[in-house]
């Protein structure tokens, strides 16, 4: 399995290859079973991180679940704990699909297209975060200042 991670991982992962190679090796050593690790980006930016890493189903699930009251914090923790493993599973599934569907001469290119990242997702993540903090400011700080402005 380590040879698969090394040979296909670089094409699939793209940026931060060495970080994820280390994580993937841990999961492979555990026979592919879940093992909690921590991913700060998945914790803070769950849906955006999933989009960035081209895990569309998890992006939609985490986005939908994140709007349910009292579920946002446990969801963030879950994304932080399981994000690396979910990415590992995504790598295995997509690399197997590419291997079964394409001739060896174009597998690297197709694997890079199936994996990699969406750079635009970072920018797309900035807008909701900025909106959230703007609304937080307007709903908390401004009402606190209103009595001072009346005097």
């Amino acid at each position: 399995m380590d040879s698969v991670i090394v040979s296909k991982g670089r094409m699939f992962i793209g940026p931060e290859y060495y970080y994820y190679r280390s994580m993937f090796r841990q999961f492979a050593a555990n026979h592919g079973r879940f093992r909690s690790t921590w991913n700060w980006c998945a914790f803070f930016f769950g849906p955006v991180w999933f989009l960035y890493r081209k895990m569309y189903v998890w992006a939609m699930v985490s986005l939908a679940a994140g709007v349910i009251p009292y579920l946002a914090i446990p969801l963030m923790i879950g994304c932080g704990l399981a994000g690396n493993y979910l990415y590992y599973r995504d790598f295995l599934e997509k690399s197997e699909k590419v291997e079964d569907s394409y001739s060896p001469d174009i597998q690297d290119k197709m694997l890079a297209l199936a994996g990699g990242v969406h750079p635009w997702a970072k920018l797309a993540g900035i807008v909701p975060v900025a909106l959230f903090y703007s609304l937080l400011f307007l709903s908390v700080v401004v009402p606190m200042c209103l009595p001072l402005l009346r005097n």
Side-chain angles (χ1 to χ4, degrees), residues 79-96:
C79 288
L81 288 171
N84 291 325
Y85 181 74
L86 294 173
Y87 192 42
Y88 171 72
R89 299 297 310 165
D90 189 59
F91 163 70
L92 293 178
E93 290 169 14
K94 289 180 180 174
S95 61
E96 184 178 317

Side-chain angles (χ1 to χ4, degrees), residues 84-149:
N84 291 325
Y85 181 74
L86 294 173
Y87 192 42
Y88 171 72
R89 299 297 310 165
D90 189 59
F91 163 70
L92 293 178
E93 290 169 14
K94 289 180 180 174
S95 61
E96 184 178 317
K97 192 174 191 178
V98 165
E99 192 173 297
D100 292 344
S101 303
Y102 299 99
S103 63
D105 57 321
I106 63 166
Q107 284 181 2
D108 283 350
K109 183 176 181 168
M110 299 312 292
L111 195 58
L113 288 173
V117 297
H118 284 306
W120 57 264
K122 286 182 181 179
L123 182 61
I126 291 171
V127 173
V129 170
L131 182 63
F132 170 77
Y133 284 113
S134 298
L135 291 173
L136 182 67
F137 177 79
L138 290 173
S139 64
V140 175
V141 176
V142 171
M144 289 171 46
C145 295
L146 282 177
L148 297 174
L149 295 174

Side-chain angles (χ1 to χ4, degrees), residues 57-74:
V57 172
W58 287 110
M60 294 302 116
V61 167
S62 61
L63 188 63
V67 298
I68 299 172
Y70 305 108
L71 197 55
I73 299 298

